[in-house]
Amino acid sequence: MTRVIGFAGWSGAGKTQLLTRLIPVLGARGLRVSTLKHAHHAFDIDRPGKDSYRHREAGAHEVLIASSSRWALMHELRGEAEPGLAELLGHMSPVDLVLIEGFKRNPHVKIEVHRQVNGKSWLYVDDASIRAIASDVPPPADCGLPWVRLDDYEAIADLVQDHAWPLDQVLAAPTA
């Protein structure tokens, strides 16, 4: 059964670095892991001039690229609303665990990633869906949430396994 957990933090907190180091730890525990990343701006995974780029620019609604090594599906919204987390999760293949980077305003269970040098506020104060913290400094004494060091990937993997929600619980949660 697929389980899901998010990682929320301000830009520069180290979410991507944490995930790239956490995925091998979870994999060594025998888990198949996928990720879902939210981008706040227009992004492109294709290069101008390539056939798939030309198909998309010509107006194709979807472009699927396949080779013997991988396949990728690009879906152009073309003015449609941005899909919600539940819809995006529905497009993913079954795995043991989906790690979500971003979607910090959604109510799914999350681990806060906090780095003191950013000088940003703690997110857990205003987000009841944050169940644990990974940070380079301890949170305030009255926080009440489990805390592990940002570079303790084994401890973070334990938090992930302890707190991840079943996919159906995430799909049933109200959207932000």
Side-chain angles (χ1 to χ4, degrees), residues 74-164:
M74 291 180 286
H75 179 96
E76 288 295 314
L77 294 176
R78 305 222 183 270
E80 299 171 28
E82 180 179 349
L85 181 59
E87 181 180 342
L88 294 170
L89 285 166
H91 290 296
M92 298 185 79
S93 298
V95 293
D96 298 309
L97 191 59
V98 176
L99 307 177
I100 300 169
E101 182 180 342
F103 290 95
K104 70 181 171 199
R105 300 290 177 226
N106 281 70
H108 62 283
V109 67
K110 297 183 261 315
I111 294 173
E112 179 172 351
V113 180
H114 184 87
R115 192 174 300 276
Q116 184 177 27
V117 72
N118 276 357
K120 299 283 190 175
S121 60
W122 294 90
L123 296 175
Y124 77 87
V125 174
D126 296 315
D127 188 346
S129 65
I130 292 176
R131 303 296 164 80
I133 295 174
S135 176
D136 58 349
V137 295
D142 63 349
C143 170
L145 296 174
W147 166 72
V148 298
R149 293 209 49 88
L150 196 51
D151 59 356
D152 189 345
Y153 305 111
E154 290 290 340
I156 296 169
D158 291 341
L159 289 175
V160 165
Q161 290 189 277
D162 290 346
H163 293 281

Side-chain angles (χ1 to χ4, degrees), residues 5-89:
I5 193 163
F7 289 83
W10 298 106
S11 179
K15 297 179 300 292
T16 300
Q17 177 177 321
L18 186 152
L19 290 181
T20 60
R21 296 206 169 107
L22 180 62
I23 292 166
V25 172
L26 293 165
R29 294 181 179 194
L31 299 172
R32 291 182 318 135
V33 179
S34 292
T35 63
L36 195 161
K37 163 91 171 109
H38 185 260
H40 292 284
H41 44 77
F43 69 94
D44 210 334
I45 61 170
D46 210 357
R47 293 194 328 247
K50 291 296 191 179
D51 292 348
S52 53
Y53 182 92
R54 293 173 59 202
H55 295 176
R56 196 167 42 88
E57 288 297 302
H61 185 65
E62 290 187 332
V63 177
L64 192 144
I65 309 164
S67 74
S68 61
S69 299
R70 71 189 53 87
W71 66 269
L73 176 65
M74 291 180 286
H75 179 96
E76 288 295 314
L77 294 176
R78 305 222 183 270
E80 299 171 28
E82 180 179 349
L85 181 59
E87 181 180 342
L88 294 170
L89 285 166

